[in-house]
Amino acid sequence: MLPEQHRIRTSVQFSATTRSGARNGRRNVVVYVRPTGEEHPSRFGFIVSKAVGNAVRRNKVKRRLRELAQTTVRQDPYGYDVVVRALPPAARADWAELAADYAKAWRTASARAGTAGPTTTAEDRRPAREEPES
């Protein structure tokens, strides 16, 4: 189980992450990542609809996704809000397939979201030119 500080609980938090976060989808999951700043702990939320299966299957998928999220929290404990939406094929996916899809989606979405720090402009990304000495 994820600690309380690492959970997304309210619909406002879910909406903010899914609407303004970077998104990446795979066969089994869609991952939304929104940078929040280095001072905020990373928080995770899960969406597993009835399309995934009955209650037993949905809970199994959620348990697996929580375990994957705990691994991510250990690596990146600060700076992101993450929502993971399970797609119907996730109910039939084995552990390795689900883990691979999650890892690929997480890497891509977090790279698209950028770092949790301040945003950079085109001016910041340009290499510094050396001034000629007079």
Side-chain angles (χ1 to χ4, degrees):
M1 184 64 77
L2 285 169
E4 183 76 28
Q5 67 182 5
H6 293 293
R7 294 186 213 157
I8 291 179
R9 293 273 184 181
T10 67
S11 62
V12 172
Q13 294 168 339
F14 272 93
S15 294
T17 303
T18 56
R19 290 182 184 191
S20 66
R23 178 183 74 119
N24 189 266
R26 300 290 177 189
R27 182 175 192 272
N28 297 305
V29 294
V30 177
V31 176
Y32 300 88
V33 178
R34 182 173 70 109
T36 58
E38 289 295 324
E39 64 278 356
H40 300 289
S42 290
R43 298 181 302 180
F44 286 79
F46 304 96
I47 301 170
V48 184
S49 73
K50 287 185 179 182
V52 173
N54 64 15
V56 174
R57 286 185 189 215
R58 290 193 311 268
N59 286 328
K60 182 178 181 180
V61 170
K62 276 190 274 190
R63 282 193 307 272
R64 288 177 168 185
L65 292 174
R66 274 193 218 111
E67 180 62 32
L68 294 168
Q70 283 180 335
T71 304
T72 304
V73 166
R74 285 186 217 114
Q75 295 169 354
D76 290 314
Y78 293 96
Y80 296 102
D81 277 352
V82 181
V83 172
V84 182
R85 188 177 77 208
L87 300 175
R92 292 177 300 283
D94 63 356
W95 172 253
E97 184 181 355
L98 188 62
D101 278 357
Y102 170 81
K104 288 176 187 174
W106 160 252
R107 277 194 304 272
T108 305
S110 62
R112 284 182 185 166
T115 62
T119 58
T120 59
T121 63
E123 293 287 323
D124 296 333
R125 288 188 296 260
R126 285 192 191 130
R129 291 184 359 200
E130 292 183 28
E131 295 287 326
E133 291 182 23
S134 302

